[in-house]
Amino acid sequence: MKFIDNISKVDYENFLKKTKYSNFLQSYEWGQFCNVAKNKKPYYVGLVDEKGKLVCATLLLKTNLLMGFSYMYAPRGFVMDYDNKEILNTFTDELKKYMKKNKIIYITVDPAISYHEVDNNAQKVENGYNNYEIFDCFIKCGYKHKGFNLLYESNQPRFSFVIPFENHKSFDEVFNSFSKSMRKDMKKAKNFGTEMVIGTKADMKTFCDLMEATGNRDDFHAYSRQYYEQFYEIFNASGKCELFISYVYPNAFSK
């Protein structure tokens, strides 16, 4: 296998589409966004097999330090078949050479791999699935596990939730998967005459005003309007982002 440090956008995106370990934070666009919004230069590196076919790819975000040194972060990376330990071993060895050559002091990795199955209360499910072998393989390759964060102490939150839409699930199937309270709130919003439209960049001020108000109410930091506009421009241009705005007309249901 051969290490490459300049994967093209087409090859990178095609590879991510074919693996279950791909993640939004490993998308090509996230690298472009971090470049303009966070001053972190993106690098798209990976491994190809003897036939030149990608078997591993990852986005690395570079932060410069003094005297030409830097460190990198692979958000929710790497993207590979983690059941194939040879790929992880080889890629790690090649990364070490890449780091030494480019004065990179360390690389932080936080792949979206669950340690073991948990229930709704975040408690381990006895006899549930686990990925202990994958974790052990990382340790044997020389990675240092910094422990499990509780909430947001690390780069990414401990838990994240995704609604799967594979196999073309119908609206009713998705709706019925929500909690009883969520379904109740959605029905109530519909009865109130709520209207939802797809917005444009011109609606970003409304979105940011709502984010700021929500952040002040719930005590969290909202990003600047420029931050959200840059995100929208980059992801919307590739058809991977839409801005949805809901309107409520009080006069329509107060009578």
Side-chain angles (χ1 to χ4, degrees), residues 102-252:
N102 293 281
K103 301 178 71 173
I104 302 166
I105 58 175
Y106 68 85
I107 294 177
T108 302
V109 184
D110 53 7
I113 300 173
S114 57
Y115 188 57
H116 51 224
E117 186 177 2
V118 297
D119 59 23
N120 292 335
N121 296 314
Q123 299 301 309
K124 179 183 176 181
V125 175
E126 294 300 329
N127 300 317
Y129 69 82
N130 68 73
N131 287 305
Y132 298 155
E133 288 189 7
I134 295 177
F135 275 69
D136 289 343
C137 187
F138 267 98
I139 299 301
K140 290 177 181 178
C141 285
Y143 295 90
K144 295 182 179 179
H145 188 210
K146 298 173 68 176
F148 297 108
N149 57 299
L150 180 61
L151 293 172
Y152 295 94
E153 303 92 334
S154 188
N155 287 309
Q156 303 301 333
R158 174 72 181 276
F159 300 104
S160 58
F161 300 88
V162 178
I163 299 176
F165 286 96
E166 68 271 15
N167 300 325
H168 306 287
K169 286 188 176 181
S170 67
F171 172 82
D172 288 338
E173 288 179 294
V174 175
F175 180 77
N176 290 328
S177 69
F178 295 151
S179 66
K180 183 178 180 179
S181 59
M182 174 64 75
R183 296 197 300 270
K184 182 180 179 180
D185 288 342
M186 291 177 68
K187 290 179 179 178
K188 183 186 296 184
K190 184 178 181 180
N191 293 334
F192 282 172
T194 304
E195 177 188 9
M196 180 175 289
V197 299
I198 297 178
T200 66
K201 185 180 177 181
D203 298 300
M204 195 59 67
K205 181 181 184 305
T206 300
F207 171 79
C208 291
D209 288 344
L210 288 170
M211 286 296 296
E212 183 177 359
T214 305
N216 292 335
R217 182 192 67 206
D218 295 339
D219 193 27
F220 70 84
H221 171 71
Y223 288 105
S224 67
R225 179 176 173 181
Q226 182 185 34
Y227 180 94
Y228 290 117
E229 285 180 343
Q230 290 172 331
F231 181 95
Y232 176 81
E233 288 177 353
I234 290 174
F235 280 88
N236 182 260
S238 60
K240 296 180 180 179
C241 170
E242 293 286 5
L243 175 63
F244 292 91
I245 300 181
S246 294
Y247 292 94
V248 177
Y249 304 96
N251 293 334

